[in-house]
Amino acid sequence: MKHLIDPMDLSVKEIDDILKLSEDIIANRETYSSICRGKKLATLFFEPSTRTRLSFEAAMLELGGSVIGFSSADSSSAAKGESVADTARTIEKYADIIAMRHPKEGSSKVASLHVNIPVINAGDGGHNHPTQTLTDLLTIYEIKHRLHSLTVGFCGDLKFGRTVHSLIKALSRYDNIKIILISPDELKIPSYIREEVLQKNNIPFVETTDLENSIADLDVLYMTRVQRERFFNEADYIRLKDSYILNLQKLNHAKEDLSILHPLPRVNEISTEVDHDPRAKYFEQVEYGKFVRMALMLKLLNLK
Amino acid sequence: MKHLIDPMDLSVKEIDDILKLSEDIIANRETYSSICRGKKLATLFFEPSTRTRLSFEAAMLELGGSVIGFSSADSSSAAKGESVADTARTIEKYADIIAMRHPKEGSSKVASLHVNIPVINAGDGGHNHPTQTLTDLLTIYEIKHRLHSLTVGFCGDLKFGRTVHSLIKALSRYDNIKIILISPDELKIPSYIREEVLQKNNIPFVETTDLENSIADLDVLYMTRVQRERFFNEADYIRLKDSYILNLQKLNHAKEDLSILHPLPRVNEISTEVDHDPRAKYFEQVEYGKFVRMALMLKLLNLK
Amino acid sequence: MKHLIDPMDLSVKEIDDILKLSEDIIANRETYSSICRGKKLATLFFEPSTRTRLSFEAAMLELGGSVIGFSSADSSSAAKGESVADTARTIEKYADIIAMRHPKEGSSKVASLHVNIPVINAGDGGHNHPTQTLTDLLTIYEIKHRLHSLTVGFCGDLKFGRTVHSLIKALSRYDNIKIILISPDELKIPSYIREEVLQKNNIPFVETTDLENSIADLDVLYMTRVQRERFFNEADYIRLKDSYILNLQKLNHAKEDLSILHPLPRVNEISTEVDHDPRAKYFEQVEYGKFVRMALMLKLLNLK
């Protein structure tokens, strides 16, 4: 493991190692607080993503390292026409590891081919966002203490949500997983996920439009945003959107130990009244995202 | 004291403690240089304010801590429709203390209600800017060695200047304060300050349009900017603006130990010829701003 | 040496000291890794320049110091009408050394006249960019082990390229330098460089439009970008541009130990096929830029 571009680049064993290391970091914060002393992370964010950027930066600071970078393309040399490869080769002289966000698919891959320091894909267009997938896996693992034998519901925009696709792919490698896919017809899971991932791996799955009647069986509910602009017309959007808003009333039917996840930011797809329910885990998930990035950077830097 | 949202949240005793701690920091820089080791400040600036942001960042660095954040809303998740409460809850997982600037009044208050780490209001619209008030108080205290028994003039835009309102409120709690309010009629102090603060606390005050003839009695002169856009017509602006520009000639009538303050940035309301006069204290004030923020953060983090 | 505004402010002796110190830093990284502990660099970039900004920031971090600043004018007080002098005086209270980039010529000079901390000009309009010149000199010195007795070619836009003008001036102080100036007629070196620098110092030089036939004699080839907008018409641009693109075929005629430099970012004036040729030194140059800035800051801070 030299770079992390696609979450499926990681074997189950490598994921397991990262999760185990994350756990050790959580349990022994002080031990890790200066392990990256003298190391520099470069956060190259060609499009803004505050949450992801600050998660990486907090992670490196908590390891005792430091950070340089930029938070949008305006302030980068890209505006002068520099290629991603040249930017990466330049940054390689300044930093020890790169986290790159770019609107264009494959950008992190290109960067990784030109440098000798690790490159982490922090999101490349609608393509991959592997540290979100690691975040989701660590959250489930920490709360459920397993990644197998789980019934996991995905709700909302299953068509365009790259975090959903990646997490389904990742979970498909564990035993005894059931998947419930809850979305309006307009936003159903793409057929390649259905065929190439779920059917191919013999994962039992159900497709439904009904959140309320699907919630009872779930161990994990992964919520995503239903964006207005995904619909052909406003009338459909208004008719459908309430069905995919999670509130306390819909939670009445859920298990006591359901875990509700969301990659955030949310707009209104989870009512704020849910925030105080002990099943709401999406802010804990934010913190697991920091820990798993700490673990990942230590692995890529060969410090663990 | 858990957060700092409104300068009037602080008791006279708490202000006194912060000023005393600031003094100790000034006298013993080295002692404090790693007291915040491992701590992270998040500067969440939903609108730009370089001076305030860098003051907070320098303050945290001089305490041995580190900084993450953003300097304008473009690079934050707010652009994706996230609420201030959700942003704060996310940042809480990354940092130990928040300094928030937001164009909307009450934003810092909202943030503070949703997190368990201290939130400092670094300016919320035209509302409050408590660390500027602490800066002003520390500057006066360090130079005059008292906050009582002072004649303080405020000159310029007294109608919209939130720093003026806050400083008047803060000073109204000390003994033997006299206030001279110097402004064009269009920019007089709001009646609620006149009635609810000055009259209610029996603070003697004078309202005048004449800077030159008011300056002789002052111990402190707090200058502010007279903005062109505040006037109904250009003719009034041009007629009036020179009366509110402080220059060496107007200073002829002032006391030898007058202290001239300004929250900065200035445009032209203090002539640069004044900069070399020993009574000009506005750049020292900048540095006191850093020290008082160091003291405030130590208090809020319970490190002092 | 208190500030660095113009590369010609430095004597040959001072440049020599900086290059020697850079060499020592390269050879003894660990020795310097906390020499700036507690020091703060302020990067005041009134226009974006990611490469230069991150080079300064990496340099300060590798010396154990820390960084505050801004990366574009939008997020600075300049937007509120503050003068460069006032910004500098404010920052002086927050930081120990300033690196300033500004679109207006002379801005860094103005800043340096108002503060007691060192100011480094990180580019002021088309005027000066002294740390690029130091970078170029260190690169040549490290690879050729001398700054005298060299035949140096400059290719591309010699009219507007400030890095070209500065490096010619700097090299004109060393013995036995020959200069080959390769450009389209539209972009020839300005007459003041020809007369006031080259002729005045009796530096042999040749002006030519032909890269391919000039390359054989060169010890160093300094490439720059030929920008489309410099030409009166598109037809001229298209006709000429290929002559100034360096590729492996043109390199056939070059010496085995030629060093190819470029201030970067490049667009297409050096074909990427050249990157793997051992004579390509422009990415090494990036790293020398970091080391020379480390040395410069140590000198200006009187730490060496």
Side-chain angles (χ1 to χ4, degrees), chain A residues 100-276:
Chain A
M100 180 184 286
R101 176 93 164 203
H102 200 287
K104 214 165 137 188
E105 294 185 12
S107 298
S108 303
K109 181 73 186 171
V110 169
S112 74
L113 296 172
H114 288 90
V115 296
N116 289 311
I117 62 172
V119 174
I120 301 170
N121 181 2
D124 60 337
H127 204 205
N128 279 309
H129 188 10
T131 57
Q132 181 66 49
T133 307
L134 288 174
T135 299
D136 300 339
L137 292 172
L138 179 62
T139 307
I140 297 170
Y141 186 71
E142 287 302 295
I143 297 170
K144 298 293 180 191
H145 309 296
R146 66 184 190 277
L147 291 173
H148 59 85
S149 309
L150 291 167
T151 300
V152 181
F154 292 87
C155 177
D157 176 358
L158 308 188
K159 184 171 182 183
F160 298 101
R162 66 181 165 188
T163 59
V164 169
H165 307 165
S166 292
L167 184 54
I168 290 174
K169 285 189 225 171
L171 288 171
S172 73
R173 303 195 290 189
Y174 296 90
D175 291 336
N176 197 22
I177 294 290
K178 288 181 202 152
I179 302 284
I180 315 296
L181 301 162
I182 309 154
S183 76
D185 286 335
E186 289 89 339
L187 299 175
K188 282 172 80 169
I189 202 90
S191 56
Y192 91 93
I193 296 283
R194 200 181 296 111
E195 291 155 22
E196 300 297 312
V197 183
L198 295 170
Q199 292 171 352
K200 193 170 180 180
N201 291 289
N202 295 314
I203 313 286
F205 69 96
V206 175
E207 296 193 86
T208 171
T209 59
D210 190 341
L211 171 58
E212 195 151 8
N213 288 314
S214 316
I215 208 166
D217 296 329
L218 304 178
D219 298 307
V220 174
L221 171 57
Y222 195 93
M223 293 294 298
T224 64
R225 193 147 47 114
V226 175
Q227 290 173 281
R228 186 182 297 249
E229 58 268 32
R230 299 299 191 200
F231 287 85
F232 293 118
N233 60 67
E234 185 76 6
D236 281 351
Y237 172 72
I238 289 169
R239 179 173 51 81
L240 286 166
K241 74 177 166 75
D242 284 355
S243 330
Y244 302 98
I245 293 177
L246 185 65
N247 55 22
L248 288 180
Q249 184 257 316
K250 291 198 186 88
L251 272 180
N252 275 338
H253 312 289
K255 287 187 186 173
E256 280 300 305
D257 68 345
L258 170 69
S259 294
I260 306 163
L261 273 62
H262 190 300
L264 303 184
R266 86 171 139 183
V267 180
N268 63 352
E269 58 279 8
I270 301 179
S271 169
T272 54
E273 68 185 16
V274 175
D275 296 357
H276 308 289

Side-chain angles (χ1 to χ4, degrees), chain A residues 37-42 60-61 64-69 94-96, chain B residues 61 66, chain C residues 29 32-37 39-41 53-68 290 293-294 297:
Chain A
R37 199 184 159 135
K39 299 290 180 195
K40 284 185 254 84
L41 163 70
M60 182 47 94
L61 292 170
S66 53
V67 181
I68 59 172
Y94 301 157
D96 301 283
Chain B
L61 292 170
S66 53
Chain C
R29 301 285 291 273
Y32 291 90
S33 69
S34 55
I35 191 171
C36 280
R37 199 184 157 135
K39 299 290 180 195
K40 283 185 255 85
L41 162 70
R53 180 172 63 83
L54 295 185
S55 180
F56 272 107
E57 298 188 3
M60 181 48 92
L61 291 170
E62 292 192 21
L63 295 167
S66 53
V67 181
I68 58 172
K290 179 182 72 181
R293 288 178 177 99
M294 292 169 76
M297 290 193 286

Side-chain angles (χ1 to χ4, degrees), chain A residues 34-62:
Chain A
S34 54
I35 192 170
C36 280
R37 199 184 159 135
K39 299 290 180 195
K40 284 185 254 84
L41 163 70
T43 47
L44 309 186
F45 276 57
F46 291 88
E47 65 177 5
S49 176
T50 307
R51 179 181 316 277
T52 303
R53 181 173 60 84
L54 296 184
S55 180
F56 272 107
E57 297 189 4
M60 182 47 94
L61 292 170
E62 293 192 21

Side-chain angles (χ1 to χ4, degrees), chain A residues 87-99:
Chain A
T87 301
R89 270 160 161 163
T90 297
I91 298 302
E92 178 184 25
K93 306 304 186 188
Y94 301 157
D96 301 283
I97 185 167
I98 289 173

Side-chain angles (χ1 to χ4, degrees), chain C residues 237-248:
Chain C
Y237 172 73
I238 289 168
R239 180 174 51 81
L240 287 166
K241 74 177 168 75
D242 283 356
S243 330
Y244 301 99
I245 291 177
L246 186 65
N247 54 23
L248 286 180

Side-chain angles (χ1 to χ4, degrees), chain B residues 180-193:
Chain B
I180 315 295
L181 300 162
I182 309 154
S183 76
D185 287 335
E186 289 88 339
L187 298 175
K188 283 173 78 168
I189 201 93
S191 56
Y192 91 94
I193 297 283

